[in-house]
């Protein structure tokens, strides 16, 4: 038997970055909002205060802040003719275990996507011709929104998060610092860039000598004390190095807990239901609107939360799975490329170089989650692809966060003995002189990269598991090899005594190895209804009071972390709901 709660104006499914940003905007506009989250309540003061040791074994190795695989299992295969089997470890699916989602344990890279990233198909055709864009296996499509349209909302997210950095382009003018390839910004970052550490110095000097353009990565690890537009105070980063997989007891890493919850939780028109797993949405009899969300609470009871507006802001795979299980919009069929839900899964195409120095002091234990230097000379379409057998590129970067001693026990030059006195001697020498060049590459969707409901496996609630079918496009493989070769050149110019290139795309894709955890797609946005599940305001084409927000909406993946773009899209959608939709419910875009 399903019990029913009192109707709300809005129900939000998932209280990570997207859900928190939207809840803040909508409650401030006066709407009554109920958020439902699968995880438990999690906050800095209770769970990761300064008095809790930054225990690498507990947080980074055992991943206690992450949702366990049993609660978010998917099945996986590379090709249509294979039988998918369930994933059995975290791998590329590193969801947060409580409210705040991955925004609590993330590293903190505060990127914007480039203007090219929103119009990959259009700009590829304009520069190189139709044949380059219509490679046989690729399925390119544009976002239906441009960088310039999204820029004010990027600015708002950066103000809320307090992102630290240096602008490369302001109001169309290059500043001489920062990233010269970035889209034009209306103003500089709210806080200055973090300090430059030794690995970054070596990288900057080498790439400058090579005629490239290094800059400090924008970070949500704050460089100085800051009060955001919501009135929430944050502290300055102490460069402790314990960011990725850790909560920040210093309140200097931006997260929903640090930036939004202190305001949101005080609002009387906001309610959060924790330890409650949404399984499906309910629809009106005519199928043109949704009426609420059904969830299973901690006691195993099935409960319906009715609402006038339903917003999915869960992990991209959960957004996709809920829509498929609820029978909303047509599932994607890779055989004829029809349907929209499940379409355009992409990952990130990662390569790079490990490097070791003989007589230096990299001291990797000093750092921050997103602290590093990057060049964008080989990212996106910032270089000529006319004679290359791929499109897109990668941000090539070095990070100052690689000092966790357990993890770095294996970060030794090839051929080093892995046990005994020789291992101890090598580890003592190279721990402080190890660094990485990491190529975070874009990923282009393919016609056979998609998600659907698995016909063989179900979860504990009887809901079919999501099945992922994916392998790297050949274009992405070629790009990864190209950028790996560039990173090897940079490593040698930096003076490394040992270099070892790596390329995750030279083998079949696997969910088991954490090359990245930036999984994208499933509910792609766009202005072309036959190829998108949601319109440019992330509103369902088929149910006008349903909005699906998050990385599930990305039709393509860029050579940057997705969080800033997720935040900007969430704020833009929330503003459209508050300013336009509630006054005249209906389609915001004609399709």
């Amino acid at each position: 038997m399903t019990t029913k709660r009192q109707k709300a104006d809005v129900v939000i499914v998932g209280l990570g970055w997207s859900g928190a940003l939207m809840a803040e905007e909508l409650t401030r506009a006066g709407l009554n909002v109920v958020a439902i989250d699968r995880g438990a309540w999690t906050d800095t003061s209770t769970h990761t205060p300064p008095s809790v040791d930054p225990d690498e074994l507990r947080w980074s190795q055992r991943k206690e802040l992450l949702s366990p695989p049993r609660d978010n299992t998917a099945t996986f295969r590379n090709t249509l003719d294979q039988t998918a089997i369930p994933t059995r470890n975290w791998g590329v699916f590193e969801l947060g275990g409580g409210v705040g989602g991955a925004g609590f344990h993330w590293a903190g890279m505060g990127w914007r996507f480039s203007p090219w990233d929103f119009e990959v198909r259009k700009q590829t055709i304009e520069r190189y011709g139709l044949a380059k864009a219509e490679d046989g296996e690729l399925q390119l499509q544009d976002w239906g929104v441009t960088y310039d349209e999204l820029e004010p909302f990027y600015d708002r997210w950066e103000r809320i998060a307090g992102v630290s950095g240096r602008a490369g382009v302001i109001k169309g003018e290059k500043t001489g610092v920062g990233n010269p390839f970035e889209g034009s910004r209306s103003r500089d970052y709210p806080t200055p860039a973090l300090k430059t550490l030794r690995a970054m110095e070596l990288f900057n000097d080498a790439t400058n000598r090579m005629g490239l353009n290094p800059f400090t990565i924008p970070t949500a690890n704050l460089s100085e004390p800051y009060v955001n537009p919501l009135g929430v105070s944050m502290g300055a980063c102490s460069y402790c190095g314990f960011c990725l997989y850790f909560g920040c007891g210093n309140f200097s890493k931006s997260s929903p807990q640090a930036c939004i919850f202190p305001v949101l939780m005080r609002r009387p028109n906001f309610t959060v239901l924790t330890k409650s797993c949404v399984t499906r949405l309910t629809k009106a009899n005519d199928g043109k609107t949704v009426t609420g969300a059904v969830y299973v609470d901690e006691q195993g009871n099935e409960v319906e939360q009715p609402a006038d507006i339903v917003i999915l802001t869960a992990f991209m795979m959960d957004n996709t799975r809920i829509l498929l299980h609820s029978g909303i919009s047509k599932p994607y069929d890779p055989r004829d490329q029809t349907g929209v839900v499940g379409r355009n899964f992409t990952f990130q195409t990662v390569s790079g170089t490990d490097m070791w120095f003989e007589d230096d002091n990299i001291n990797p234990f000093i750092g921050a989650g997103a602290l590093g230097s990057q060049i964008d000379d080989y990212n996106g379409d910032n270089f000529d692809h006319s004679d290359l057998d791929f499109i897109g590129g990668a941000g090539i970067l070095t990070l100052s966060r690689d000092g966790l001693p357990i993890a770095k026990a294996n970060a030794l030059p090839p051929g080093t003995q892995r046990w005994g006195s020789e291992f101890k001697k090598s580890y003592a020498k190279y721990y402080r002189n190890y660094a990485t060049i990491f190529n975070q590459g874009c990923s282009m969707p393919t016609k056979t990269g998609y998600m659907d409901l698995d016909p063989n496996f179900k979860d504990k609630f009887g809901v079919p598991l999501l099945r992922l079918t994916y392998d790297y496009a050949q274009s992405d493989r070629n790009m990864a090899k190209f950028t790996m070769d560039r990173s090897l050149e940079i490593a040698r110019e930096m003076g490394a005594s040992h270099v070892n290139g790596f390329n995750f795309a030279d083998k079949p894709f696997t969910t088991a190895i954490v090359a990245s955890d930036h999984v994208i797609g499933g509910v792609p946005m766009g202005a072309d209804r036959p190829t998108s599940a949601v319109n440019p305001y992330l509103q369902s084409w088929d149910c006008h009071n349903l909005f699906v927000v998050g990385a599930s909406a990305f039709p393509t993946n860029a050579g940057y972390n997705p969080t800033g773009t997720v935040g900007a899209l969430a704020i833009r959608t929330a503003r459209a709901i508050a300013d336009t939709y509630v006054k005249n419910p209906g389609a915001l875009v004609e399709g």
Side-chain angles (χ1 to χ4, degrees):
M1 177 180 175
T2 303
T3 59
K4 185 176 290 190
R5 286 173 51 86
Q6 183 176 347
K7 189 177 184 182
D9 295 327
V10 180
V11 60
I12 291 176
V13 179
L15 196 62
W17 269 116
S18 292
L21 288 163
M22 297 199 72
E24 192 283 318
E25 290 278 348
L26 296 176
T27 53
R28 184 155 41 83
L31 296 173
N32 177 35
V33 176
V34 174
I36 307 172
D37 198 278
R38 177 171 58 190
W41 177 255
T42 305
D43 62 49
T44 303
S45 299
T46 304
H47 296 89
T48 60
S51 58
V52 173
D53 290 335
D55 183 339
E56 181 188 356
L57 183 63
R58 179 181 180 187
W59 302 117
S60 182
Q61 299 298 316
R62 294 175 177 166
K63 296 180 168 58
E64 287 191 17
L65 287 178
L66 272 62
S67 175
R70 67 175 181 270
D71 290 340
N72 54 76
T73 301
T75 67
F76 169 70
R77 60 184 181 174
N78 287 122
T79 60
L80 298 175
D81 60 351
Q82 295 176 338
T83 299
I85 59 173
T87 57
R88 301 186 184 279
N89 53 23
W90 279 285
V92 302
F93 306 129
E94 296 186 321
L95 290 72
V99 298
F104 191 61
H105 71 254
W106 71 316
M109 287 195 179
W111 292 108
R112 299 181 178 194
F113 282 11
S114 75
W116 180 83
D117 292 315
F118 297 97
E119 298 180 303
V120 171
R121 178 177 173 81
K122 175 186 175 183
Q123 295 198 30
T124 299
I125 292 171
E126 288 178 352
R127 187 172 182 181
Y128 306 109
L130 186 63
K132 192 87 167 180
E134 295 196 345
D135 173 290
E137 66 178 331
L138 297 185
Q139 187 162 259
L140 300 186
Q141 62 191 84
D142 297 331
W143 292 47
V145 64
T146 65
Y147 171 87
D148 288 341
E149 291 172 321
L150 202 55
E151 198 281 332
F153 306 102
Y154 271 128
D155 182 79
R156 175 67 176 176
W157 179 77
E158 289 167 354
R159 258 60 205 172
I160 291 173
V163 176
S164 297
R166 295 189 299 177
V169 184
I170 298 178
K171 297 181 179 178
E173 298 293 328
K174 292 185 178 180
T175 64
V177 296
N179 181 7
F181 297 101
E182 70 180 354
S184 181
R185 305 169 52 87
S186 55
R187 52 181 170 170
D188 210 338
Y189 290 95
T191 53
L194 290 172
K195 297 180 184 298
T196 300
L197 303 184
R198 182 57 179 157
M200 298 165 64
E201 290 176 349
L202 294 170
F203 181 89
N204 293 348
D205 291 344
T207 51
N208 273 317
R209 290 193 298 270
M210 298 169 74
L212 303 171
N213 296 275
F215 59 92
T216 301
I217 292 168
T219 74
N221 319 113
L222 274 61
S223 61
E224 63 184 22
Y226 176 72
V227 179
N228 76 8
L230 306 181
V232 180
S233 297
M234 299 181 66
C237 179
S238 61
Y239 299 88
C240 74
F242 296 103
C243 290
L244 182 60
Y245 302 122
F246 296 82
C248 180
N250 203 43
F251 290 89
S252 54
K253 181 176 73 172
S254 306
S255 65
Q257 282 86 344
C259 302
I260 303 171
F261 287 176
V263 170
L264 182 61
M265 294 305 296
R266 290 184 172 92
R267 290 185 178 156
N269 54 338
F270 177 72
T271 302
V272 58
L273 307 174
T274 61
K275 298 183 181 179
S276 299
C277 184
V278 171
T279 57
R280 70 183 191 277
L281 306 182
T282 52
K283 294 191 290 185
N285 291 334
D286 62 5
K288 295 182 179 180
T289 58
V290 289
T291 59
V294 175
Y295 64 90
V296 179
D297 67 16
E298 188 178 7
Q299 289 73 42
N301 303 308
E302 188 172 78
V303 184
E304 180 180 354
Q305 175 60 66
D308 293 323
I309 300 170
V310 176
I311 305 174
L312 294 181
T313 54
F315 183 55
M316 49 77 65
M317 299 189 80
D318 291 318
N319 283 349
T320 304
R321 186 183 181 209
I322 290 170
L323 289 183
L324 289 170
H325 186 54
S326 304
I328 296 171
S329 299
K330 184 179 179 181
Y332 175 71
D333 187 339
R335 292 165 181 82
D336 59 9
Q337 291 86 60
T338 61
V340 291
V341 180
R343 177 186 175 106
N344 283 39
F345 175 91
T346 55
F347 185 52
Q348 279 192 314
T349 315
V350 171
S351 62
T353 298
D354 291 314
M355 51 191 173
W356 296 264
F357 299 82
E358 291 298 326
D359 299 308
D360 213 312
N361 285 291
I362 304 298
N363 289 336
F365 58 87
I366 306 168
L371 178 56
S373 293
Q374 176 157 316
I375 59 166
D376 267 357
D377 299 73
Y378 300 109
N379 207 348
D381 200 41
N382 297 335
F383 58 110
D384 189 1
H385 290 69
S386 299
D387 298 324
L388 299 173
D389 52 0
F390 61 88
I391 61 173
I396 298 178
L397 63 137
T398 191
L399 286 168
S400 292
R401 73 161 188 225
D402 291 320
L404 300 182
I406 298 174
K408 296 312 159 192
N410 291 318
L412 297 173
T416 302
Q417 189 165 307
R418 299 290 164 165
W419 65 90
S421 60
E422 287 302 312
F423 164 76
K424 294 176 183 178
K425 186 185 301 182
S426 296
Y427 183 52
K429 175 180 180 180
Y430 287 114
Y431 167 81
R432 62 185 176 86
N433 279 321
Y434 164 78
T436 301
I437 296 176
F438 183 80
N439 305 334
Q440 183 168 235
C442 65
S443 178
M444 296 300 144
T446 65
K447 295 169 184 175
T448 56
Y450 78 110
M451 293 169 284
D452 65 350
L453 295 179
D454 193 284
N456 301 314
F457 296 97
K458 297 182 178 180
D459 69 8
K460 60 185 177 183
F461 304 122
V463 178
L465 298 185
L466 196 70
R467 177 173 64 178
L468 168 61
T469 305
Y470 179 72
D471 206 349
Y472 297 104
Q474 188 60 47
S475 173
D476 289 352
R477 295 182 190 277
N478 298 341
M479 181 273 293
K481 173 63 167 59
F482 175 89
T483 53
M484 182 188 74
D485 290 343
R486 304 292 78 74
S487 70
L488 285 165
E489 294 168 358
I490 294 169
R492 294 184 181 110
E493 184 67 26
M494 290 172 67
S497 57
H498 304 277
V499 297
N500 186 37
F502 58 85
N503 179 2
F504 286 97
D506 64 355
K507 308 176 187 66
F509 173 79
T510 173
T511 61
I513 298 176
V514 191
S516 165
D517 55 7
H518 301 148
V519 286
I520 302 298
V523 194
M525 64 186 292
D528 181 22
R529 184 167 182 169
T531 61
S532 57
V534 293
N535 68 26
Y537 290 99
L538 309 190
Q539 178 186 38
S540 169
W541 289 110
D542 296 308
C543 298
H544 65 75
N545 67 332
L546 171 62
F547 296 80
V548 188
V549 183
S552 59
F554 296 10
T556 54
N557 206 352
Y560 304 102
N561 299 59
T563 307
T565 303
V566 166
L569 287 171
I571 295 169
R572 182 174 186 263
T573 298
R575 295 276 178 87
I577 293 171
D579 296 344
T580 304
Y581 181 83
V582 294
K583 299 172 184 175
N584 185 25
L588 295 171
V589 175
E590 294 299 325

